[in-house]
PDB file of all heavy atoms in Angstrom:
ATOM      1  N   ALA A   1       9.578  16.791 -28.421  1.00 98.00           N
ATOM      2  CA  ALA A   1      10.001  18.132 -28.801  1.00 98.00           C
ATOM      3  C   ALA A   1      11.517  18.190 -28.850  1.00 98.00           C
ATOM      4  O   ALA A   1      12.204  17.276 -28.401  1.00 98.00           O
ATOM      5  CB  ALA A   1       9.495  19.157 -27.786  1.00 98.00           C
ATOM      6  N   VAL A   2      12.020  19.282 -29.391  1.00 98.00           N
ATOM      7  CA  VAL A   2      13.413  19.647 -29.193  1.00 98.00           C
ATOM      8  C   VAL A   2      13.469  20.442 -27.901  1.00 98.00           C
ATOM      9  O   VAL A   2      12.736  21.427 -27.738  1.00 98.00           O
ATOM     10  CB  VAL A   2      13.957  20.467 -30.386  1.00 98.00           C
ATOM     11  CG1 VAL A   2      15.409  20.878 -30.100  1.00 98.00           C
ATOM     12  CG2 VAL A   2      13.886  19.669 -31.673  1.00 98.00           C
ATOM     13  N   TYR A   3      14.336  20.028 -27.022  1.00 98.00           N
ATOM     14  CA  TYR A   3      14.473  20.691 -25.737  1.00 98.00           C
ATOM     15  C   TYR A   3      15.765  21.498 -25.705  1.00 98.00           C
ATOM     16  O   TYR A   3      16.835  20.999 -26.052  1.00 98.00           O
ATOM     17  CB  TYR A   3      14.485  19.656 -24.608  1.00 98.00           C
ATOM     18  CG  TYR A   3      13.113  19.090 -24.291  1.00 98.00           C
ATOM     19  CD1 TYR A   3      12.518  18.149 -25.129  1.00 98.00           C
ATOM     20  CD2 TYR A   3      12.411  19.505 -23.154  1.00 98.00           C
ATOM     21  CE1 TYR A   3      11.269  17.632 -24.863  1.00 98.00           C
ATOM     22  CE2 TYR A   3      11.159  19.004 -22.891  1.00 98.00           C
ATOM     23  CZ  TYR A   3      10.598  18.077 -23.748  1.00 98.00           C
ATOM     24  OH  TYR A   3       9.329  17.579 -23.471  1.00 98.00           O
ATOM     25  N   PHE A   4      15.628  22.756 -25.307  1.00 98.00           N
ATOM     26  CA  PHE A   4      16.754  23.682 -25.235  1.00 98.00           C
ATOM     27  C   PHE A   4      16.977  24.107 -23.795  1.00 98.00           C
ATOM     28  O   PHE A   4      16.011  24.345 -23.056  1.00 98.00           O
ATOM     29  CB  PHE A   4      16.488  24.941 -26.034  1.00 98.00           C
ATOM     30  CG  PHE A   4      16.273  24.731 -27.501  1.00 98.00           C
ATOM     31  CD1 PHE A   4      14.992  24.522 -28.004  1.00 98.00           C
ATOM     32  CD2 PHE A   4      17.340  24.771 -28.393  1.00 98.00           C
ATOM     33  CE1 PHE A   4      14.784  24.368 -29.364  1.00 98.00           C
ATOM     34  CE2 PHE A   4      17.128  24.604 -29.751  1.00 98.00           C
ATOM     35  CZ  PHE A   4      15.863  24.390 -30.244  1.00 98.00           C
ATOM     36  N   CYS A   5      18.222  24.275 -23.406  1.00 98.00           N
ATOM     37  CA  CYS A   5      18.518  25.034 -22.220  1.00 98.00           C
ATOM     38  C   CYS A   5      19.002  26.403 -22.648  1.00 98.00           C
ATOM     39  O   CYS A   5      19.704  26.556 -23.644  1.00 98.00           O
ATOM     40  CB  CYS A   5      19.514  24.339 -21.289  1.00 98.00           C
ATOM     41  SG  CYS A   5      21.090  23.812 -21.984  1.00 98.00           S
ATOM     42  N   VAL A   6      18.607  27.423 -21.886  1.00 98.00           N
ATOM     43  CA  VAL A   6      18.764  28.812 -22.280  1.00 98.00           C
ATOM     44  C   VAL A   6      19.116  29.655 -21.078  1.00 98.00           C
ATOM     45  O   VAL A   6      18.595  29.405 -19.973  1.00 98.00           O
ATOM     46  CB  VAL A   6      17.469  29.340 -22.925  1.00 98.00           C
ATOM     47  CG1 VAL A   6      17.615  30.795 -23.381  1.00 98.00           C
ATOM     48  CG2 VAL A   6      17.041  28.475 -24.114  1.00 98.00           C
ATOM     49  N   ARG A   7      19.922  30.667 -21.279  1.00 98.00           N
ATOM     50  CA  ARG A   7      20.161  31.660 -20.237  1.00 98.00           C
ATOM     51  C   ARG A   7      19.278  32.879 -20.483  1.00 98.00           C
ATOM     52  O   ARG A   7      19.102  33.311 -21.609  1.00 98.00           O
ATOM     53  CB  ARG A   7      21.630  32.088 -20.215  1.00 98.00           C
ATOM     54  CG  ARG A   7      21.951  32.960 -18.990  1.00 98.00           C
ATOM     55  CD  ARG A   7      23.395  33.387 -18.937  1.00 98.00           C
ATOM     56  NE  ARG A   7      23.662  34.507 -19.822  1.00 98.00           N
ATOM     57  CZ  ARG A   7      24.748  35.279 -19.753  1.00 98.00           C
ATOM     58  NH1 ARG A   7      25.720  34.995 -18.853  1.00 98.00           N
ATOM     59  NH2 ARG A   7      24.934  36.275 -20.605  1.00 98.00           N
ATOM     60  N   SER A   8      18.740  33.421 -19.410  1.00 97.00           N
ATOM     61  CA  SER A   8      17.953  34.626 -19.462  1.00 97.00           C
ATOM     62  C   SER A   8      18.592  35.679 -18.586  1.00 97.00           C
ATOM     63  O   SER A   8      18.922  35.421 -17.441  1.00 97.00           O
ATOM     64  CB  SER A   8      16.520  34.355 -18.998  1.00 97.00           C
ATOM     65  OG  SER A   8      15.739  35.535 -19.047  1.00 97.00           O
ATOM     66  N   GLY A   9      18.761  36.884 -19.143  1.00 93.00           N
ATOM     67  CA  GLY A   9      19.377  37.985 -18.405  1.00 93.00           C
ATOM     68  C   GLY A   9      18.365  38.759 -17.603  1.00 93.00           C
ATOM     69  O   GLY A   9      17.161  38.459 -17.593  1.00 93.00           O
ATOM     70  N   PRO A  10      18.825  39.807 -16.911  1.00 89.00           N
ATOM     71  CA  PRO A  10      17.936  40.593 -16.046  1.00 89.00           C
ATOM     72  C   PRO A  10      16.748  41.189 -16.774  1.00 89.00           C
ATOM     73  O   PRO A  10      15.687  41.359 -16.172  1.00 89.00           O
ATOM     74  CB  PRO A  10      18.868  41.697 -15.521  1.00 89.00           C
ATOM     75  CG  PRO A  10      20.245  41.121 -15.637  1.00 89.00           C
ATOM     76  CD  PRO A  10      20.233  40.263 -16.847  1.00 89.00           C
ATOM     77  N   ALA A  11      16.890  41.561 -18.015  1.00 89.00           N
ATOM     78  CA  ALA A  11      15.806  42.126 -18.787  1.00 89.00           C
ATOM     79  C   ALA A  11      14.932  41.079 -19.469  1.00 89.00           C
ATOM     80  O   ALA A  11      13.992  41.431 -20.189  1.00 89.00           O
ATOM     81  CB  ALA A  11      16.352  43.086 -19.850  1.00 89.00           C
ATOM     82  N   GLY A  12      15.208  39.823 -19.225  1.00 89.00           N
ATOM     83  CA  GLY A  12      14.421  38.765 -19.789  1.00 89.00           C
ATOM     84  C   GLY A  12      14.875  38.270 -21.145  1.00 89.00           C
ATOM     85  O   GLY A  12      14.213  37.418 -21.737  1.00 89.00           O
ATOM     86  N   ALA A  13      15.966  38.768 -21.648  1.00 93.00           N
ATOM     87  CA  ALA A  13      16.473  38.329 -22.951  1.00 93.00           C
ATOM     88  C   ALA A  13      17.056  36.935 -22.834  1.00 93.00           C
ATOM     89  O   ALA A  13      17.818  36.628 -21.911  1.00 93.00           O
ATOM     90  CB  ALA A  13      17.524  39.307 -23.453  1.00 93.00           C
ATOM     91  N   TRP A  14      16.702  36.108 -23.768  1.00 95.00           N
ATOM     92  CA  TRP A  14      17.261  34.753 -23.864  1.00 95.00           C
ATOM     93  C   TRP A  14      18.514  34.833 -24.716  1.00 95.00           C
ATOM     94  O   TRP A  14      18.490  34.649 -25.929  1.00 95.00           O
ATOM     95  CB  TRP A  14      16.240  33.823 -24.473  1.00 95.00           C
ATOM     96  CG  TRP A  14      14.993  33.687 -23.654  1.00 95.00           C
ATOM     97  CD1 TRP A  14      14.780  34.128 -22.389  1.00 95.00           C
ATOM     98  CD2 TRP A  14      13.774  33.030 -24.059  1.00 95.00           C
ATOM     99  NE1 TRP A  14      13.512  33.810 -21.943  1.00 95.00           N
ATOM    100  CE2 TRP A  14      12.877  33.135 -22.963  1.00 95.00           C
ATOM    101  CE3 TRP A  14      13.364  32.382 -25.218  1.00 95.00           C
ATOM    102  CZ2 TRP A  14      11.591  32.619 -23.014  1.00 95.00           C
ATOM    103  CZ3 TRP A  14      12.090  31.844 -25.256  1.00 95.00           C
ATOM    104  CH2 TRP A  14      11.204  31.962 -24.170  1.00 95.00           C
ATOM    105  N   ASP A  15      19.643  35.112 -24.050  1.00 96.00           N
ATOM    106  CA  ASP A  15      20.827  35.522 -24.791  1.00 96.00           C
ATOM    107  C   ASP A  15      21.722  34.380 -25.222  1.00 96.00           C
ATOM    108  O   ASP A  15      22.460  34.529 -26.230  1.00 96.00           O
ATOM    109  CB  ASP A  15      21.623  36.566 -23.999  1.00 96.00           C
ATOM    110  CG  ASP A  15      21.986  36.139 -22.585  1.00 96.00           C
ATOM    111  OD1 ASP A  15      21.685  34.993 -22.200  1.00 96.00           O
ATOM    112  OD2 ASP A  15      22.597  36.961 -21.878  1.00 96.00           O
ATOM    113  N   TYR A  16      21.724  33.283 -24.547  1.00 97.00           N
ATOM    114  CA  TYR A  16      22.534  32.137 -24.928  1.00 97.00           C
ATOM    115  C   TYR A  16      21.657  30.899 -24.908  1.00 97.00           C
ATOM    116  O   TYR A  16      20.892  30.671 -23.975  1.00 97.00           O
ATOM    117  CB  TYR A  16      23.749  31.960 -24.020  1.00 97.00           C
ATOM    118  CG  TYR A  16      24.791  33.025 -24.254  1.00 97.00           C
ATOM    119  CD1 TYR A  16      24.848  34.156 -23.446  1.00 97.00           C
ATOM    120  CD2 TYR A  16      25.737  32.887 -25.265  1.00 97.00           C
ATOM    121  CE1 TYR A  16      25.791  35.131 -23.651  1.00 97.00           C
ATOM    122  CE2 TYR A  16      26.686  33.862 -25.479  1.00 97.00           C
ATOM    123  CZ  TYR A  16      26.722  34.977 -24.666  1.00 97.00           C
ATOM    124  OH  TYR A  16      27.673  35.936 -24.871  1.00 97.00           O
ATOM    125  N   TRP A  17      21.838  30.090 -25.945  1.00 98.00           N
ATOM    126  CA  TRP A  17      21.071  28.854 -26.140  1.00 98.00           C
ATOM    127  C   TRP A  17      21.977  27.665 -26.328  1.00 98.00           C
ATOM    128  O   TRP A  17      23.048  27.768 -26.920  1.00 98.00           O
ATOM    129  CB  TRP A  17      20.205  28.968 -27.401  1.00 98.00           C
ATOM    130  CG  TRP A  17      19.100  29.971 -27.351  1.00 98.00           C
ATOM    131  CD1 TRP A  17      19.211  31.323 -27.207  1.00 98.00           C
ATOM    132  CD2 TRP A  17      17.715  29.687 -27.493  1.00 98.00           C
ATOM    133  NE1 TRP A  17      17.968  31.891 -27.248  1.00 98.00           N
ATOM    134  CE2 TRP A  17      17.029  30.924 -27.414  1.00 98.00           C
ATOM    135  CE3 TRP A  17      16.973  28.511 -27.671  1.00 98.00           C
ATOM    136  CZ2 TRP A  17      15.634  31.016 -27.517  1.00 98.00           C
ATOM    137  CZ3 TRP A  17      15.590  28.599 -27.773  1.00 98.00           C
ATOM    138  CH2 TRP A  17      14.945  29.850 -27.704  1.00 98.00           C
ATOM    139  N   GLY A  18      21.518  26.537 -25.849  1.00 98.00           N
ATOM    140  CA  GLY A  18      22.140  25.295 -26.248  1.00 98.00           C
ATOM    141  C   GLY A  18      21.712  24.942 -27.657  1.00 98.00           C
ATOM    142  O   GLY A  18      20.813  25.581 -28.243  1.00 98.00           O
ATOM    143  N   GLN A  19      22.328  23.935 -28.228  1.00 98.00           N
ATOM    144  CA  GLN A  19      21.990  23.546 -29.595  1.00 98.00           C
ATOM    145  C   GLN A  19      20.640  22.840 -29.699  1.00 98.00           C
ATOM    146  O   GLN A  19      20.082  22.717 -30.789  1.00 98.00           O
ATOM    147  CB  GLN A  19      23.077  22.648 -30.150  1.00 98.00           C
ATOM    148  CG  GLN A  19      23.164  21.284 -29.456  1.00 98.00           C
ATOM    149  CD  GLN A  19      24.317  20.439 -29.994  1.00 98.00           C
ATOM    150  OE1 GLN A  19      25.502  20.774 -29.809  1.00 98.00           O
ATOM    151  NE2 GLN A  19      23.973  19.356 -30.658  1.00 98.00           N
ATOM    152  N   GLY A  20      20.131  22.393 -28.586  1.00 98.00           N
ATOM    153  CA  GLY A  20      18.871  21.664 -28.552  1.00 98.00           C
ATOM    154  C   GLY A  20      19.110  20.172 -28.686  1.00 98.00           C
ATOM    155  O   GLY A  20      20.049  19.724 -29.341  1.00 98.00           O
ATOM    156  N   THR A  21      18.230  19.405 -28.075  1.00 98.00           N
ATOM    157  CA  THR A  21      18.307  17.963 -28.182  1.00 98.00           C
ATOM    158  C   THR A  21      16.890  17.413 -28.425  1.00 98.00           C
ATOM    159  O   THR A  21      15.927  17.813 -27.760  1.00 98.00           O
ATOM    160  CB  THR A  21      18.933  17.315 -26.934  1.00 98.00           C
ATOM    161  OG1 THR A  21      19.112  15.912 -27.134  1.00 98.00           O
ATOM    162  CG2 THR A  21      18.101  17.533 -25.680  1.00 98.00           C
ATOM    163  N   GLN A  22      16.795  16.540 -29.402  1.00 98.00           N
ATOM    164  CA  GLN A  22      15.511  15.946 -29.757  1.00 98.00           C
ATOM    165  C   GLN A  22      15.161  14.860 -28.758  1.00 98.00           C
ATOM    166  O   GLN A  22      15.962  13.965 -28.487  1.00 98.00           O
ATOM    167  CB  GLN A  22      15.571  15.354 -31.168  1.00 98.00           C
ATOM    168  CG  GLN A  22      14.306  14.618 -31.582  1.00 98.00           C
ATOM    169  CD  GLN A  22      13.140  15.552 -31.848  1.00 98.00           C
ATOM    170  OE1 GLN A  22      13.307  16.578 -32.501  1.00 98.00           O
ATOM    171  NE2 GLN A  22      11.965  15.194 -31.328  1.00 98.00           N
ATOM    172  N   VAL A  23      13.956  14.939 -28.215  1.00 98.00           N
ATOM    173  CA  VAL A  23      13.445  13.903 -27.344  1.00 98.00           C
ATOM    174  C   VAL A  23      12.129  13.393 -27.941  1.00 98.00           C
ATOM    175  O   VAL A  23      11.180  14.169 -28.122  1.00 98.00           O
ATOM    176  CB  VAL A  23      13.198  14.399 -25.910  1.00 98.00           C
ATOM    177  CG1 VAL A  23      12.651  13.261 -25.051  1.00 98.00           C
ATOM    178  CG2 VAL A  23      14.504  14.914 -25.304  1.00 98.00           C
ATOM    179  N   ASN A  24      12.097  12.131 -28.236  1.00 98.00           N
ATOM    180  CA  ASN A  24      10.893  11.484 -28.764  1.00 98.00           C
ATOM    181  C   ASN A  24      10.244  10.650 -27.661  1.00 98.00           C
ATOM    182  O   ASN A  24      10.940   9.864 -26.992  1.00 98.00           O
ATOM    183  CB  ASN A  24      11.223  10.596 -29.962  1.00 98.00           C
ATOM    184  CG  ASN A  24      11.714  11.408 -31.140  1.00 98.00           C
ATOM    185  OD1 ASN A  24      11.119  12.414 -31.490  1.00 98.00           O
ATOM    186  ND2 ASN A  24      12.790  10.923 -31.759  1.00 98.00           N
ATOM    187  N   VAL A  25       8.957  10.831 -27.482  1.00 98.00           N
ATOM    188  CA  VAL A  25       8.198  10.020 -26.552  1.00 98.00           C
ATOM    189  C   VAL A  25       7.392   9.043 -27.383  1.00 98.00           C
ATOM    190  O   VAL A  25       6.440   9.436 -28.077  1.00 98.00           O
ATOM    191  CB  VAL A  25       7.280  10.867 -25.654  1.00 98.00           C
ATOM    192  CG1 VAL A  25       6.501   9.975 -24.704  1.00 98.00           C
ATOM    193  CG2 VAL A  25       8.121  11.859 -24.867  1.00 98.00           C
TER     194      VAL A  25
END
């Protein structure tokens, strides 16, 4: 998958995202 790290605020909004990184198994 493409794996993202993300910030979530108090209301649950995913407001900031990393660009994502592809991981192949």
Side-chain angles (χ1 to χ4, degrees):
V2 177
Y3 285 76
F4 300 90
C5 54
V6 181
R7 189 179 79 165
S8 180
W14 297 350
D15 55 3
Y16 289 96
W17 293 62
Q19 66 184 67
T21 186
Q22 176 71 44
V23 179
N24 294 314
V25 179

